[in-house]
Amino acid sequence: MTPLISTDERDELLKNLVIPPRPDVLDKLMSLRQDPDITLQKLDDIINEDPALCVAMLKAANTPILGRGRHITSVHQAISLLGIKNVISLVSGLVLRTRLTAETPPALEQFWDSTLQIAMISSALCDHIVHVTDDCRSFALFHNCGMAIMLMRFPSYNRTLRLVEMASDDRIGLVEQELHGTRHDVVGYLVARSWNMPENFAKAILMQNDNTVMDTGPDAPLDHDGRMMVAVTRAARHVWRTLTPGKEDTGWEARKDEVLNYLGMSDVEFEDWEDAMHQELAVTA
């Protein structure tokens, strides 16, 4: 099991990596999630206070999976069509993107576009499974946030991403550690902790590529919600990675059985759903 990072390692990383402070809008969104009198207008007002967040929200809402061919032109319309809970989860993840747009290297915009696609596939999978925690939707947008930080910090990290795509899940961190002295899952964990995200959310980011991440029982590294976040996002990443015919997902075979078992899906059911998603994304691309 991957240990939580030491204080010394954390302090050393924080000296060399710039982690943006937790934005006020995230506090407002989290408070709104607990508000028994939540309304569409309250959420609309919070998002519209942040122009960059509005732009990111509309871009996400108009993706093929969420937009379903409709042209969504306002935050109010997006909330009406997608629902308040879905929008809160979506925006909670999009906040990170809006806070990392200064001095954007060309590779970062491409990275966020692919992350958004994975998040939208995750959302569709959540709808298919039905019984999932709300955090599953925002986790897909946060799960690789450490990569965004490393893209900004290390000019050569874009080349590392190409190596990572060819590595099995358990080797991704080893490649990053050898080339850059740290791993994106550790950096992502630091971001989540700095932003006061729930502990199971932060630990899921840290543990997502560990061989023991889906273990159950009293000594399991994650609770049920944490394992579900990892399983949904890993399955969505597989669908995204195999969108192009002939393109492989190197780590999937080693993870497939444990992920699908946790999602409660058979191989046949998942393959049928995957094919349907590929067809939908191909038609609407």
Side-chain angles (χ1 to χ4, degrees):
M1 181 175 122
T2 302
L4 297 182
I5 63 173
S6 68
T7 301
D8 288 344
E9 184 180 3
R10 181 199 65 196
D11 292 344
E12 184 64 26
L13 283 169
L14 290 176
K15 280 195 304 184
N16 295 303
L17 297 169
V18 178
I19 294 178
R22 177 181 170 97
D24 293 340
V25 67
L26 194 58
D27 292 320
K28 294 177 181 178
L29 288 168
M30 295 301 101
S31 296
L32 197 60
R33 181 180 278 184
Q34 307 302 323
D35 186 351
D37 300 317
I38 186 172
T39 64
L40 185 153
Q41 191 59 51
K42 286 182 180 179
L43 180 55
D44 194 1
D45 290 344
I46 289 174
I47 298 173
N48 277 299
E49 289 177 4
D50 190 324
L53 193 54
C54 285
V55 171
M57 176 68 215
L58 290 176
K59 182 174 184 177
N62 280 295
T63 53
I65 295 175
L66 286 187
R68 303 287 180 180
R70 300 168 295 205
H71 183 51
I72 299 173
T73 58
S74 70
V75 172
H76 191 92
Q77 184 185 13
I79 300 170
S80 298
L81 291 172
L82 303 179
I84 290 175
K85 283 189 174 182
N86 284 343
V87 169
I88 288 178
S89 295
L90 179 61
V91 172
S92 296
L94 290 172
V95 166
L96 184 68
R97 178 175 184 165
T98 66
R99 295 308 183 267
L100 291 174
T101 50
E103 302 178 11
T104 304
L108 193 56
E109 189 64 27
Q110 184 179 1
F111 166 80
W112 283 121
D113 285 344
S114 63
T115 298
L116 181 58
Q117 278 196 307
I118 293 170
M120 297 306 99
I121 296 168
S122 293
S123 183
L125 183 55
C126 286
D127 291 339
H128 182 81
I129 299 172
V130 181
H131 299 295
V132 294
T133 174
D134 289 341
D135 283 335
C136 276
R137 300 174 192 274
S138 51
F139 180 79
L141 282 162
F142 261 91
H143 79 291
N144 277 344
C145 65
M147 288 182 170
I149 302 286
M150 291 177 73
L151 275 168
M152 296 187 71
R153 173 64 179 83
F154 304 111
S156 62
Y157 188 71
N158 189 39
R159 292 196 296 272
T160 303
L161 283 178
R162 292 195 285 272
L163 295 176
V164 163
E165 279 200 11
M166 296 184 289
S168 59
D169 290 17
D170 60 347
R171 290 195 55 79
I172 290 173
L174 298 177
V175 172
E176 294 173 321
Q177 189 74 41
E178 181 178 347
L179 294 174
H180 304 290
T182 190
R183 313 187 313 267
H184 80 274
D185 49 6
V186 171
V187 177
Y189 173 76
L190 285 175
V191 174
R193 289 298 304 272
S194 296
W195 283 28
N196 296 320
M197 303 301 285
E199 179 62 17
N200 70 324
F201 192 99
K203 285 184 68 176
I205 292 174
L206 179 64
M207 300 291 301
Q208 60 185 304
N209 293 318
D210 192 274
N211 286 332
T212 67
V213 68
M214 301 306 296
D215 288 357
T216 57
D219 297 324
L222 296 178
D223 62 13
H224 167 70
D225 288 350
R227 291 190 293 270
M228 185 59 76
M229 285 186 273
V230 170
V232 166
T233 300
R234 185 61 184 89
R237 194 161 81 238
H238 172 70
V239 174
W240 172 76
R241 279 186 168 179
T242 53
L243 273 174
T244 304
K247 190 174 181 182
E248 296 184 359
D249 179 356
T250 305
W252 180 243
E253 282 304 312
R255 302 291 299 278
K256 179 176 71 171
D257 289 345
E258 62 181 10
V259 167
L260 295 188
N261 285 341
Y262 211 81
L263 296 178
M265 299 178 73
S266 66
D267 284 2
V268 173
E269 181 187 1
F270 181 76
E271 287 172 7
D272 287 346
W273 183 83
E274 179 184 7
D275 288 343
M277 289 301 303
H278 282 170
Q279 291 174 20
E280 180 175 349
L281 290 166
V283 168
T284 52

